[in-house]
Amino acid sequence: MYQMPLPSHIKNLTPQASVDLINQHRKELGNNLVFLGHHYQRDDVIQFADFQGDSLKLSQLAAQQTEAKYIVFCGVHFMAESADILTSDDQAVFLPDMTAGCSMADMADLDQVEMAWEDLSQHFPNMSKVIPVTYVNSSAEIKAFTGRNNGICVTSSNCRFIFESVWENDPEATILFLPDEHLGRNTAYEMGVPLDQMPLYDPFAEMGGITDEQYKNSKVILWKGFCSVHAEFNVEQIQEAREKDPDVNVIVHPECGFDVVQAADASGSTAKIVQLIENAEEGSKWVVGTEINLVKRLAQRLEDKHIQVRSLSGKACPCVTMYRIDLPHLTWIIDNIAKHFKDPENTKLYNQIRVPDEIKEQARLSLDRMMMITQAATSAT
Ligand code: SF4
């Protein structure tokens, strides 16, 4: 993705001047503008968020802000795509820096996935028994592939519900899980699927590097992809944390490797991590295996409750692509939107995320199925 260089009148602003300009434009734009900020964003960006949350929650919230013509998504590319898929045609979604992508989403491109589907069709005589399930951290094209092949999207919060519904519908079904091998493996294992029934499909190996026997026995075929942030956590860090303080609780995100999740005291989505720690006993201590901005903010918020929170890793583990959304880019995009609002005829809009209609329609199928199943599962509990 190409990001045009920032003009000098924006680049040369002091941080305070940027903040003032953003606030001035927010007043001018009123309810026409909404800021969405992902949990992993840096502090000087998240301070402006009208809503803060995970990617799907933010997209759903964006769709509810029907007055907002302009939606600025402070997150990464696939998140802004999801917002564009879920919002109306009258709403425009912007990403302040087009190079803010996701290394995990990039690990499954459409050509590779189509080829994998072809490989699978040679091993499964009835392809209606193979259900593609994609993590929401994937491109709109992969969500569309999933939608048109009778598949479903998942988040880290509802992955288990979705797997359960696939197998309730057809106990013989095999899931092709994209693009994060760890979330797929950790979820299926927790549900009792043995590791040897979850072969790993490598898009760079012949037939995905999976033997005929493994295809035959598979319950979940995992795509070889991972999150570079969560891959930084390891079992040694957990051992070290416990050696330093045996009372510490270790909680990690299910995008972490299998061994890490097994060694931790608990694992869960960002929402679950926040909820568990916020409701923990006063004086409890937590080490957390997820993105550093979220961990730091949680630690600050809970200081008064005397709950200690720190990262599992001694090194900061920010998502480098998320980090590309910074104050100058945010200022630039708001300035551009404000100019367009005043003079739409003569102002070109930059960095609008537009998912083509056909892809939108098919991707929406996989998101709608997910929401339907999740709502049914949560209202039944
Ligand atoms: S934290 Fe990982 S999955 Fe999330 S956007 Fe960054 S690279 Fe992608």
Side-chain angles (χ1 to χ4, degrees), residues 255-294:
E255 286 173 24
C256 292
F258 178 73
D259 294 350
V260 176
V261 170
Q262 291 304 305
D265 297 304
S267 71
S269 63
T270 306
K272 184 175 165 187
I273 292 175
V274 171
Q275 194 202 15
L276 253 176
I277 302 181
E278 277 182 345
N279 294 314
E281 272 179 30
E282 202 171 299
S284 59
K285 298 170 208 167
W286 296 81
V287 292
V288 187
T290 194
E291 206 272 349
I292 190 71
N293 282 300
L294 179 132

Side-chain angles (χ1 to χ4, degrees), residues 313-359:
S313 167
K315 294 181 276 170
C317 297
C319 173
V320 284
T321 47
M322 287 257 186
Y323 238 54
R324 292 183 183 153
I325 309 292
D326 56 12
L327 194 55
H329 284 89
L330 190 58
T331 313
W332 171 68
I333 208 73
I334 302 300
D335 193 52
N336 175 230
I337 289 171
K339 283 179 179 143
H340 182 267
F341 184 62
K342 280 183 203 146
D343 185 8
E345 298 302 316
N346 297 305
T347 314
K348 181 177 178 264
L349 277 172
Y350 293 102
N351 288 27
Q352 185 178 351
I353 304 296
R354 294 175 203 260
V355 178
D357 284 347
E358 198 193 352
I359 294 178

Side-chain angles (χ1 to χ4, degrees), residues 198-253:
M198 296 186 239
L200 187 63
Y201 187 96
D202 178 352
F204 298 102
E206 200 177 327
M207 280 295 161
I210 299 178
T211 64
D212 294 353
E213 195 57 22
Q214 285 175 315
Y215 273 116
K216 208 168 122 207
N217 292 331
S218 59
K219 284 299 285 174
V220 184
I221 296 174
L222 301 165
W223 188 265
K224 193 174 179 184
F226 61 89
C227 163
S228 45
V229 173
H230 292 95
E232 289 294 313
F233 299 107
N234 57 52
V235 175
E236 289 70 43
Q237 293 162 342
I238 298 181
Q239 285 163 349
E240 234 173 79
R242 287 186 178 137
E243 271 161 28
K244 269 194 205 150
D245 186 350
D247 293 335
V248 87
N249 301 288
V250 180
I251 186 162
V252 299
H253 195 279

Side-chain angles (χ1 to χ4, degrees), residues 40 76 78-79 102-104 137 227-229 255 319 321-322:
Y40 297 171
V76 294
F78 76 79
M79 299 176 185
C102 164
S103 52
M104 179 204 283
N137 298 18
C227 163
S228 45
V229 173
E255 286 173 24
C319 173
T321 47
M322 287 257 186

Side-chain angles (χ1 to χ4, degrees), residues 77-146:
H77 197 268
F78 76 79
M79 299 176 185
E81 282 186 332
S82 295
D84 188 47
I85 292 165
L86 293 175
T87 48
S88 75
D89 291 346
D90 306 331
Q91 297 174 294
V93 178
F94 300 87
L95 186 66
D97 185 331
M98 293 301 264
T99 65
C102 164
S103 52
M104 179 204 283
D106 291 346
M107 287 177 197
D109 79 20
L110 185 61
D111 288 347
Q112 289 174 324
V113 173
E114 299 271 19
M115 274 170 64
W117 199 243
E118 183 55 40
D119 286 350
L120 265 61
S121 71
Q122 294 184 33
H123 288 87
F124 294 89
N126 179 359
M127 280 297 277
S128 67
K129 294 266 182 204
V130 183
I131 308 296
V133 175
T134 189
Y135 192 15
V136 74
N137 298 18
S138 56
S139 68
E141 281 187 327
I142 297 300
K143 291 186 182 84
F145 167 87
T146 307

